[in-house]
Amino acid sequence: MPFKILILCAVCLAPLTNTLAQELKIGIVQSERIMREAPQIKAAEAKIEQEFSKRGKELEESAARIKAMSEKLDKDAAILSESDRIKRQHDLIDLDKDFQRKREIFREDLAQRKNEELSVVLERVNKVIKQIAEAEKYDLVLQEAIYFSPRLDMTDKVLKALGK
């Protein structure tokens, strides 16, 4: 008996569901494409690159110095006294520890700045999506979908509004 009721409900509700689906205005925004093409993302990346390039170069120079010192120690190890060799090894270990610490701080600072800039851009993107949805009377806007018809894609509208 419950199975018959379920079938009866499905048959009765099918036309209603179809009508509701036709009346809904749905849009899809491809977030990955927004993150790849939005001018604000490119501007944020350039800003961060400029902000962190000096520190990055300093780290690269430190790594090169440590490598050169290590190679020199390996080359000179046979002619150095035991105490000189041990002193150079300790100096090299200290430099490497300092380098590792600075590199980790650099990575953390870079990640934090990227997150800060990204959150500002995402806030702007979401505001633009909401403005478009309200202006064009969308009932539902989704970010990403496994499949969707190209007619539902509003990514170009969002990029245009962002100033692409």
Side-chain angles (χ1 to χ4, degrees):
M1 186 70 171
F3 183 68
K4 289 180 181 178
I5 293 174
L6 184 61
I7 290 177
L8 181 61
C9 287
V11 169
C12 292
L13 293 177
L16 181 60
T17 305
N18 192 26
T19 303
L20 287 174
Q22 289 176 357
E23 292 177 11
L24 286 176
K25 187 169 182 183
I26 298 172
I28 304 288
V29 177
Q30 298 176 51
S31 302
E32 183 179 310
R33 188 168 156 223
I34 297 288
M35 299 308 290
R36 194 176 55 244
E37 297 179 23
Q40 291 82 354
I41 293 290
K42 294 174 183 176
E45 288 171 350
K47 180 179 177 182
I48 290 170
E49 171 64 30
Q50 182 182 10
E51 204 174 302
F52 283 84
S53 65
K54 182 180 176 188
R55 282 175 62 189
K57 286 178 184 172
E58 289 171 357
L59 281 173
E60 289 172 7
E61 290 169 3
S62 292
R65 270 194 311 273
I66 291 170
K67 182 180 179 187
M69 287 176 66
S70 177
E71 290 171 354
K72 184 165 175 35
L73 177 61
D74 289 344
K75 186 176 119 183
D76 296 345
I79 59 172
L80 291 173
S81 68
E82 181 72 14
S83 62
D84 283 343
R85 186 180 55 75
I86 291 172
K87 183 185 179 323
R88 283 193 186 179
Q89 285 175 333
H90 286 296
D91 291 345
L92 192 58
I93 288 169
D94 289 343
L95 282 173
D96 189 56
K97 284 181 183 177
D98 187 51
F99 170 76
Q100 298 296 337
R101 183 184 56 77
K102 286 179 180 177
R103 185 174 66 181
E104 187 59 31
I105 291 170
F106 175 82
R107 286 180 180 165
E108 290 172 1
D109 290 348
L110 180 61
Q112 181 179 351
R113 281 294 292 130
K114 282 183 178 182
N115 287 337
E116 289 169 0
E117 289 295 323
L118 183 61
S119 71
V120 169
V121 172
L122 288 177
E123 187 175 314
R124 171 77 176 125
V125 168
N126 287 333
K127 184 177 179 182
V128 166
I129 291 169
K130 186 175 180 183
Q131 288 171 345
I132 292 170
E134 289 172 353
E136 297 185 18
K137 301 194 183 332
Y138 279 86
D139 296 302
L140 177 66
V141 176
L142 303 171
Q143 290 183 325
E144 302 306 327
I146 294 172
Y147 171 80
F148 59 92
S149 169
R151 67 181 172 77
L152 299 176
D153 191 357
M154 59 186 284
T155 307
D156 287 333
K157 291 178 186 179
V158 174
L159 288 170
K160 184 177 178 183
L162 288 169
K164 181 183 176 210

mmCIF file of all heavy atoms in Angstrom, residues 96-136:
data_model
loop_
_atom_site.group_PDB
_atom_site.id
_atom_site.type_symbol
_atom_site.label_atom_id
_atom_site.label_comp_id
_atom_site.label_asym_id
_atom_site.label_seq_id
_atom_site.Cartn_x
_atom_site.Cartn_y
_atom_site.Cartn_z
ATOM 1 N N ASP A 96 72.714 27.090 8.275
ATOM 2 C CA ASP A 96 71.613 26.345 7.696
ATOM 3 C C ASP A 96 70.366 26.414 8.576
ATOM 4 O O ASP A 96 69.253 26.580 8.069
ATOM 5 C CB ASP A 96 72.017 24.886 7.450
ATOM 6 C CG ASP A 96 70.973 24.151 6.643
ATOM 7 O OD1 ASP A 96 70.634 24.624 5.532
ATOM 8 O OD2 ASP A 96 70.469 23.111 7.124
ATOM 9 N N LYS A 97 70.545 26.314 9.886
ATOM 10 C CA LYS A 97 69.392 26.431 10.800
ATOM 11 C C LYS A 97 68.746 27.806 10.677
ATOM 12 O O LYS A 97 67.522 27.922 10.642
ATOM 13 C CB LYS A 97 69.834 26.189 12.245
ATOM 14 C CG LYS A 97 70.073 24.751 12.591
ATOM 15 C CD LYS A 97 70.494 24.622 14.047
ATOM 16 C CE LYS A 97 70.821 23.187 14.418
ATOM 17 N NZ LYS A 97 71.300 23.085 15.809
ATOM 18 N N ASP A 98 69.588 28.837 10.618
ATOM 19 C CA ASP A 98 69.073 30.200 10.483
ATOM 20 C C ASP A 98 68.325 30.351 9.154
ATOM 21 O O ASP A 98 67.247 30.948 9.096
ATOM 22 C CB ASP A 98 70.223 31.198 10.574
ATOM 23 C CG ASP A 98 69.736 32.637 10.601
ATOM 24 O OD1 ASP A 98 68.849 32.953 11.423
ATOM 25 O OD2 ASP A 98 70.237 33.440 9.773
ATOM 26 N N PHE A 99 68.898 29.777 8.101
ATOM 27 C CA PHE A 99 68.255 29.821 6.783
ATOM 28 C C PHE A 99 66.906 29.111 6.812
ATOM 29 O O PHE A 99 65.907 29.637 6.297
ATOM 30 C CB PHE A 99 69.176 29.181 5.733
ATOM 31 C CG PHE A 99 68.503 28.966 4.419
ATOM 32 C CD1 PHE A 99 68.273 30.030 3.557
ATOM 33 C CD2 PHE A 99 68.079 27.700 4.030
ATOM 34 C CE1 PHE A 99 67.644 29.833 2.336
ATOM 35 C CE2 PHE A 99 67.454 27.498 2.817
ATOM 36 C CZ PHE A 99 67.224 28.564 1.964
ATOM 37 N N GLN A 100 66.853 27.930 7.402
ATOM 38 C CA GLN A 100 65.610 27.159 7.466
ATOM 39 C C GLN A 100 64.530 27.936 8.236
ATOM 40 O O GLN A 100 63.359 27.960 7.826
ATOM 41 C CB GLN A 100 65.837 25.792 8.133
ATOM 42 C CG GLN A 100 66.796 24.882 7.402
ATOM 43 C CD GLN A 100 66.321 24.472 6.035
ATOM 44 O OE1 GLN A 100 65.126 24.485 5.745
ATOM 45 N NE2 GLN A 100 67.256 24.112 5.168
ATOM 46 N N ARG A 101 64.937 28.573 9.319
ATOM 47 C CA ARG A 101 63.998 29.366 10.123
ATOM 48 C C ARG A 101 63.458 30.540 9.306
ATOM 49 O O ARG A 101 62.251 30.788 9.255
ATOM 50 C CB ARG A 101 64.691 29.864 11.391
ATOM 51 C CG ARG A 101 63.791 30.645 12.349
ATOM 52 C CD ARG A 101 64.566 31.192 13.549
ATOM 53 N NE ARG A 101 65.703 32.024 13.187
ATOM 54 C CZ ARG A 101 65.616 33.302 12.777
ATOM 55 N NH1 ARG A 101 64.434 33.878 12.677
ATOM 56 N NH2 ARG A 101 66.693 33.991 12.468
ATOM 57 N N LYS A 102 64.356 31.265 8.642
ATOM 58 C CA LYS A 102 63.936 32.415 7.827
ATOM 59 C C LYS A 102 63.045 31.977 6.669
ATOM 60 O O LYS A 102 62.086 32.665 6.328
ATOM 61 C CB LYS A 102 65.159 33.156 7.290
ATOM 62 C CG LYS A 102 65.880 33.971 8.342
ATOM 63 C CD LYS A 102 67.088 34.673 7.757
ATOM 64 C CE LYS A 102 67.806 35.479 8.831
ATOM 65 N NZ LYS A 102 69.034 36.105 8.295
ATOM 66 N N ARG A 103 63.372 30.846 6.054
ATOM 67 C CA ARG A 103 62.567 30.345 4.942
ATOM 68 C C ARG A 103 61.159 29.983 5.413
ATOM 69 O O ARG A 103 60.166 30.281 4.728
ATOM 70 C CB ARG A 103 63.240 29.139 4.296
ATOM 71 C CG ARG A 103 62.497 28.661 3.053
ATOM 72 C CD ARG A 103 63.215 27.575 2.329
ATOM 73 N NE ARG A 103 63.241 26.385 3.179
ATOM 74 C CZ ARG A 103 63.816 25.250 2.849
ATOM 75 N NH1 ARG A 103 64.463 25.136 1.720
ATOM 76 N NH2 ARG A 103 63.784 24.220 3.667
ATOM 77 N N GLU A 104 61.051 29.369 6.581
ATOM 78 C CA GLU A 104 59.733 29.010 7.115
ATOM 79 C C GLU A 104 58.918 30.258 7.448
ATOM 80 O O GLU A 104 57.708 30.319 7.150
ATOM 81 C CB GLU A 104 59.883 28.119 8.348
ATOM 82 C CG GLU A 104 58.582 27.577 8.868
ATOM 83 C CD GLU A 104 57.819 26.736 7.862
ATOM 84 O OE1 GLU A 104 58.424 26.073 7.007
ATOM 85 O OE2 GLU A 104 56.565 26.759 7.922
ATOM 86 N N ILE A 105 59.557 31.250 8.039
ATOM 87 C CA ILE A 105 58.871 32.517 8.332
ATOM 88 C C ILE A 105 58.398 33.167 7.031
ATOM 89 O O ILE A 105 57.276 33.675 6.947
ATOM 90 C CB ILE A 105 59.785 33.464 9.141
ATOM 91 C CG1 ILE A 105 59.986 32.912 10.553
ATOM 92 C CG2 ILE A 105 59.218 34.876 9.188
ATOM 93 C CD1 ILE A 105 61.062 33.632 11.359
ATOM 94 N N PHE A 106 59.256 33.138 6.019
ATOM 95 C CA PHE A 106 58.907 33.697 4.710
ATOM 96 C C PHE A 106 57.665 32.995 4.152
ATOM 97 O O PHE A 106 56.729 33.653 3.685
ATOM 98 C CB PHE A 106 60.092 33.550 3.752
ATOM 99 C CG PHE A 106 59.804 33.983 2.344
ATOM 100 C CD1 PHE A 106 59.852 35.319 1.987
ATOM 101 C CD2 PHE A 106 59.494 33.051 1.368
ATOM 102 C CE1 PHE A 106 59.595 35.726 0.683
ATOM 103 C CE2 PHE A 106 59.234 33.441 0.063
ATOM 104 C CZ PHE A 106 59.283 34.780 -0.278
ATOM 105 N N ARG A 107 57.667 31.678 4.181
ATOM 106 C CA ARG A 107 56.523 30.910 3.661
ATOM 107 C C ARG A 107 55.238 31.240 4.414
ATOM 108 O O ARG A 107 54.168 31.384 3.817
ATOM 109 C CB ARG A 107 56.803 29.414 3.743
ATOM 110 C CG ARG A 107 57.790 28.928 2.723
ATOM 111 C CD ARG A 107 58.025 27.445 2.867
ATOM 112 N NE ARG A 107 58.977 26.958 1.874
ATOM 113 C CZ ARG A 107 59.571 25.801 1.925
ATOM 114 N NH1 ARG A 107 59.329 24.970 2.922
ATOM 115 N NH2 ARG A 107 60.419 25.445 0.989
ATOM 116 N N GLU A 108 55.333 31.330 5.730
ATOM 117 C CA GLU A 108 54.148 31.652 6.536
ATOM 118 C C GLU A 108 53.634 33.052 6.223
ATOM 119 O O GLU A 108 52.425 33.258 6.072
ATOM 120 C CB GLU A 108 54.466 31.513 8.021
ATOM 121 C CG GLU A 108 54.670 30.086 8.478
ATOM 122 C CD GLU A 108 55.176 29.973 9.912
ATOM 123 O OE1 GLU A 108 55.359 31.016 10.578
ATOM 124 O OE2 GLU A 108 55.403 28.832 10.359
ATOM 125 N N ASP A 109 54.552 34.019 6.137
ATOM 126 C CA ASP A 109 54.155 35.391 5.814
ATOM 127 C C ASP A 109 53.524 35.468 4.425
ATOM 128 O O ASP A 109 52.514 36.142 4.235
ATOM 129 C CB ASP A 109 55.359 36.338 5.887
ATOM 130 C CG ASP A 109 55.868 36.562 7.300
ATOM 131 O OD1 ASP A 109 55.172 36.172 8.260
ATOM 132 O OD2 ASP A 109 56.971 37.133 7.441
ATOM 133 N N LEU A 110 54.118 34.769 3.474
ATOM 134 C CA LEU A 110 53.593 34.763 2.106
ATOM 135 C C LEU A 110 52.195 34.144 2.074
ATOM 136 O O LEU A 110 51.277 34.704 1.449
ATOM 137 C CB LEU A 110 54.547 34.002 1.187
ATOM 138 C CG LEU A 110 54.155 33.901 -0.283
ATOM 139 C CD1 LEU A 110 54.060 35.286 -0.916
ATOM 140 C CD2 LEU A 110 55.167 33.038 -1.035
ATOM 141 N N ALA A 111 52.021 33.034 2.742
ATOM 142 C CA ALA A 111 50.702 32.378 2.773
ATOM 143 C C ALA A 111 49.663 33.280 3.426
ATOM 144 O O ALA A 111 48.526 33.386 2.942
ATOM 145 C CB ALA A 111 50.793 31.049 3.514
ATOM 146 N N GLN A 112 50.052 33.955 4.500
ATOM 147 C CA GLN A 112 49.117 34.852 5.184
ATOM 148 C C GLN A 112 48.708 36.008 4.271
ATOM 149 O O GLN A 112 47.526 36.339 4.172
ATOM 150 C CB GLN A 112 49.736 35.396 6.471
ATOM 151 C CG GLN A 112 48.809 36.313 7.232
ATOM 152 C CD GLN A 112 49.439 36.826 8.525
ATOM 153 O OE1 GLN A 112 50.492 36.392 8.940
ATOM 154 N NE2 GLN A 112 48.768 37.781 9.140
ATOM 155 N N ARG A 113 49.671 36.607 3.560
ATOM 156 C CA ARG A 113 49.349 37.724 2.663
ATOM 157 C C ARG A 113 48.471 37.262 1.506
ATOM 158 O O ARG A 113 47.544 37.961 1.107
ATOM 159 C CB ARG A 113 50.636 38.361 2.114
ATOM 160 C CG ARG A 113 51.308 39.287 3.080
ATOM 161 C CD ARG A 113 50.475 40.532 3.387
ATOM 162 N NE ARG A 113 50.386 41.374 2.215
ATOM 163 C CZ ARG A 113 49.263 41.873 1.719
ATOM 164 N NH1 ARG A 113 48.113 41.656 2.305
ATOM 165 N NH2 ARG A 113 49.275 42.621 0.636
ATOM 166 N N LYS A 114 48.768 36.079 0.981
ATOM 167 C CA LYS A 114 47.930 35.552 -0.106
ATOM 168 C C LYS A 114 46.506 35.364 0.369
ATOM 169 O O LYS A 114 45.555 35.708 -0.337
ATOM 170 C CB LYS A 114 48.494 34.226 -0.626
ATOM 171 C CG LYS A 114 49.682 34.386 -1.535
ATOM 172 C CD LYS A 114 50.148 33.043 -2.066
ATOM 173 C CE LYS A 114 51.306 33.194 -3.029
ATOM 174 N NZ LYS A 114 51.747 31.916 -3.590
ATOM 175 N N ASN A 115 46.345 34.827 1.570
ATOM 176 C CA ASN A 115 44.998 34.631 2.123
ATOM 177 C C ASN A 115 44.291 35.960 2.336
ATOM 178 O O ASN A 115 43.086 36.076 2.081
ATOM 179 C CB ASN A 115 45.058 33.835 3.424
ATOM 180 C CG ASN A 115 45.358 32.378 3.196
ATOM 181 O OD1 ASN A 115 45.122 31.842 2.121
ATOM 182 N ND2 ASN A 115 45.895 31.724 4.210
ATOM 183 N N GLU A 116 45.017 36.966 2.814
ATOM 184 C CA GLU A 116 44.425 38.291 3.027
ATOM 185 C C GLU A 116 43.941 38.877 1.704
ATOM 186 O O GLU A 116 42.810 39.350 1.604
ATOM 187 C CB GLU A 116 45.443 39.237 3.673
ATOM 188 C CG GLU A 116 45.759 38.928 5.111
ATOM 189 C CD GLU A 116 46.949 39.711 5.639
ATOM 190 O OE1 GLU A 116 47.560 40.517 4.885
ATOM 191 O OE2 GLU A 116 47.296 39.528 6.821
ATOM 192 N N GLU A 117 44.806 38.846 0.705
ATOM 193 C CA GLU A 117 44.441 39.402 -0.600
ATOM 194 C C GLU A 117 43.310 38.607 -1.239
ATOM 195 O O GLU A 117 42.395 39.178 -1.824
ATOM 196 C CB GLU A 117 45.656 39.434 -1.534
ATOM 197 C CG GLU A 117 46.698 40.463 -1.156
ATOM 198 C CD GLU A 117 46.216 41.902 -1.272
ATOM 199 O OE1 GLU A 117 45.446 42.220 -2.203
ATOM 200 O OE2 GLU A 117 46.604 42.715 -0.420
ATOM 201 N N LEU A 118 43.373 37.298 -1.132
ATOM 202 C CA LEU A 118 42.340 36.446 -1.707
ATOM 203 C C LEU A 118 40.980 36.714 -1.072
ATOM 204 O O LEU A 118 39.963 36.772 -1.765
ATOM 205 C CB LEU A 118 42.713 34.970 -1.553
ATOM 206 C CG LEU A 118 41.761 33.965 -2.170
ATOM 207 C CD1 LEU A 118 41.656 34.171 -3.679
ATOM 208 C CD2 LEU A 118 42.215 32.556 -1.855
ATOM 209 N N SER A 119 40.956 36.897 0.231
ATOM 210 C CA SER A 119 39.671 37.147 0.896
ATOM 211 C C SER A 119 39.055 38.466 0.433
ATOM 212 O O SER A 119 37.839 38.558 0.258
ATOM 213 C CB SER A 119 39.814 37.102 2.416
ATOM 214 O OG SER A 119 40.527 38.209 2.891
ATOM 215 N N VAL A 120 39.882 39.480 0.191
ATOM 216 C CA VAL A 120 39.376 40.759 -0.316
ATOM 217 C C VAL A 120 38.781 40.567 -1.709
ATOM 218 O O VAL A 120 37.692 41.060 -2.006
ATOM 219 C CB VAL A 120 40.506 41.824 -0.337
ATOM 220 C CG1 VAL A 120 40.076 43.067 -1.102
ATOM 221 C CG2 VAL A 120 40.930 42.184 1.074
ATOM 222 N N VAL A 121 39.497 39.840 -2.553
ATOM 223 C CA VAL A 121 39.018 39.606 -3.916
ATOM 224 C C VAL A 121 37.740 38.763 -3.899
ATOM 225 O O VAL A 121 36.780 39.067 -4.611
ATOM 226 C CB VAL A 121 40.111 38.940 -4.780
ATOM 227 C CG1 VAL A 121 39.558 38.530 -6.138
ATOM 228 C CG2 VAL A 121 41.298 39.882 -4.948
ATOM 229 N N LEU A 122 37.722 37.709 -3.092
ATOM 230 C CA LEU A 122 36.526 36.861 -3.026
ATOM 231 C C LEU A 122 35.312 37.633 -2.530
ATOM 232 O O LEU A 122 34.195 37.407 -3.009
ATOM 233 C CB LEU A 122 36.787 35.644 -2.146
ATOM 234 C CG LEU A 122 37.715 34.596 -2.741
ATOM 235 C CD1 LEU A 122 37.950 33.472 -1.740
ATOM 236 C CD2 LEU A 122 37.164 34.042 -4.035
ATOM 237 N N GLU A 123 35.530 38.534 -1.609
ATOM 238 C CA GLU A 123 34.430 39.366 -1.121
ATOM 239 C C GLU A 123 33.880 40.213 -2.263
ATOM 240 O O GLU A 123 32.665 40.328 -2.444
ATOM 241 C CB GLU A 123 34.939 40.257 0.016
ATOM 242 C CG GLU A 123 33.865 41.039 0.720
ATOM 243 C CD GLU A 123 34.427 41.811 1.902
ATOM 244 O OE1 GLU A 123 35.198 41.243 2.690
ATOM 245 O OE2 GLU A 123 34.079 43.009 2.019
ATOM 246 N N ARG A 124 34.773 40.771 -3.064
ATOM 247 C CA ARG A 124 34.362 41.580 -4.216
ATOM 248 C C ARG A 124 33.627 40.713 -5.247
ATOM 249 O O ARG A 124 32.594 41.106 -5.784
ATOM 250 C CB ARG A 124 35.598 42.236 -4.843
ATOM 251 C CG ARG A 124 35.346 42.930 -6.156
ATOM 252 C CD ARG A 124 34.667 44.275 -5.965
ATOM 253 N NE ARG A 124 34.543 44.915 -7.267
ATOM 254 C CZ ARG A 124 33.403 45.337 -7.774
ATOM 255 N NH1 ARG A 124 32.290 45.239 -7.088
ATOM 256 N NH2 ARG A 124 33.366 45.880 -8.958
ATOM 257 N N VAL A 125 34.160 39.538 -5.530
ATOM 258 C CA VAL A 125 33.538 38.623 -6.501
ATOM 259 C C VAL A 125 32.127 38.253 -6.044
ATOM 260 O O VAL A 125 31.175 38.309 -6.826
ATOM 261 C CB VAL A 125 34.399 37.359 -6.709
ATOM 262 C CG1 VAL A 125 33.628 36.283 -7.468
ATOM 263 C CG2 VAL A 125 35.696 37.703 -7.440
ATOM 264 N N ASN A 126 31.983 37.894 -4.788
ATOM 265 C CA ASN A 126 30.660 37.517 -4.274
ATOM 266 C C ASN A 126 29.686 38.683 -4.329
ATOM 267 O O ASN A 126 28.495 38.496 -4.622
ATOM 268 C CB ASN A 126 30.781 36.959 -2.855
ATOM 269 C CG ASN A 126 31.386 35.577 -2.846
ATOM 270 O OD1 ASN A 126 31.288 34.820 -3.799
ATOM 271 N ND2 ASN A 126 32.037 35.232 -1.752
ATOM 272 N N LYS A 127 30.178 39.879 -4.081
ATOM 273 C CA LYS A 127 29.320 41.064 -4.157
ATOM 274 C C LYS A 127 28.834 41.275 -5.594
ATOM 275 O O LYS A 127 27.656 41.546 -5.828
ATOM 276 C CB LYS A 127 30.095 42.295 -3.668
ATOM 277 C CG LYS A 127 29.291 43.550 -3.601
ATOM 278 C CD LYS A 127 30.122 44.701 -3.036
ATOM 279 C CE LYS A 127 29.325 45.979 -2.989
ATOM 280 N NZ LYS A 127 30.118 47.113 -2.498
ATOM 281 N N VAL A 128 29.733 41.108 -6.555
ATOM 282 C CA VAL A 128 29.377 41.264 -7.967
ATOM 283 C C VAL A 128 28.368 40.194 -8.380
ATOM 284 O O VAL A 128 27.388 40.492 -9.068
ATOM 285 C CB VAL A 128 30.650 41.215 -8.853
ATOM 286 C CG1 VAL A 128 30.294 41.017 -10.321
ATOM 287 C CG2 VAL A 128 31.461 42.486 -8.669
ATOM 288 N N ILE A 129 28.606 38.960 -7.967
ATOM 289 C CA ILE A 129 27.671 37.872 -8.299
ATOM 290 C C ILE A 129 26.279 38.194 -7.738
ATOM 291 O O ILE A 129 25.272 38.044 -8.430
ATOM 292 C CB ILE A 129 28.184 36.518 -7.765
ATOM 293 C CG1 ILE A 129 29.431 36.087 -8.541
ATOM 294 C CG2 ILE A 129 27.102 35.451 -7.865
ATOM 295 C CD1 ILE A 129 30.156 34.899 -7.928
ATOM 296 N N LYS A 130 26.233 38.653 -6.514
ATOM 297 C CA LYS A 130 24.945 38.981 -5.886
ATOM 298 C C LYS A 130 24.264 40.143 -6.626
ATOM 299 O O LYS A 130 23.051 40.109 -6.855
ATOM 300 C CB LYS A 130 25.154 39.328 -4.413
ATOM 301 C CG LYS A 130 23.871 39.530 -3.671
ATOM 302 C CD LYS A 130 24.099 39.754 -2.189
ATOM 303 C CE LYS A 130 22.766 39.959 -1.502
ATOM 304 N NZ LYS A 130 22.907 40.255 -0.091
ATOM 305 N N GLN A 131 25.033 41.150 -7.020
ATOM 306 C CA GLN A 131 24.454 42.283 -7.754
ATOM 307 C C GLN A 131 23.858 41.834 -9.090
ATOM 308 O O GLN A 131 22.755 42.243 -9.449
ATOM 309 C CB GLN A 131 25.519 43.360 -7.999
ATOM 310 C CG GLN A 131 25.910 44.118 -6.761
ATOM 311 C CD GLN A 131 27.120 45.024 -6.985
ATOM 312 O OE1 GLN A 131 27.841 44.902 -7.964
ATOM 313 N NE2 GLN A 131 27.340 45.931 -6.047
ATOM 314 N N ILE A 132 24.596 40.987 -9.804
ATOM 315 C CA ILE A 132 24.091 40.480 -11.081
ATOM 316 C C ILE A 132 22.837 39.644 -10.852
ATOM 317 O O ILE A 132 21.849 39.778 -11.571
ATOM 318 C CB ILE A 132 25.176 39.659 -11.811
ATOM 319 C CG1 ILE A 132 26.313 40.576 -12.268
ATOM 320 C CG2 ILE A 132 24.585 38.905 -12.999
ATOM 321 C CD1 ILE A 132 27.539 39.838 -12.772
ATOM 322 N N ALA A 133 22.871 38.785 -9.850
ATOM 323 C CA ALA A 133 21.723 37.922 -9.552
ATOM 324 C C ALA A 133 20.484 38.744 -9.220
ATOM 325 O O ALA A 133 19.380 38.437 -9.693
ATOM 326 C CB ALA A 133 22.061 36.975 -8.404
ATOM 327 N N GLU A 134 20.666 39.794 -8.439
ATOM 328 C CA GLU A 134 19.519 40.633 -8.084
ATOM 329 C C GLU A 134 19.023 41.436 -9.281
ATOM 330 O O GLU A 134 17.818 41.541 -9.513
ATOM 331 C CB GLU A 134 19.891 41.556 -6.925
ATOM 332 C CG GLU A 134 20.049 40.814 -5.610
ATOM 333 C CD GLU A 134 20.597 41.682 -4.482
ATOM 334 O OE1 GLU A 134 20.998 42.841 -4.730
ATOM 335 O OE2 GLU A 134 20.621 41.187 -3.338
ATOM 336 N N ALA A 135 19.943 42.003 -10.052
ATOM 337 C CA ALA A 135 19.557 42.831 -11.198
ATOM 338 C C ALA A 135 18.858 42.013 -12.285
ATOM 339 O O ALA A 135 17.921 42.498 -12.921
ATOM 340 C CB ALA A 135 20.794 43.528 -11.775
ATOM 341 N N GLU A 136 19.323 40.774 -12.473
ATOM 342 C CA GLU A 136 18.754 39.946 -13.534
ATOM 343 C C GLU A 136 17.742 38.927 -13.009
ATOM 344 O O GLU A 136 17.321 38.035 -13.736
ATOM 345 C CB GLU A 136 19.876 39.256 -14.307
ATOM 346 C CG GLU A 136 20.775 40.266 -15.014
ATOM 347 C CD GLU A 136 21.823 39.618 -15.881
ATOM 348 O OE1 GLU A 136 21.677 38.420 -16.226
ATOM 349 O OE2 GLU A 136 22.789 40.314 -16.231
#
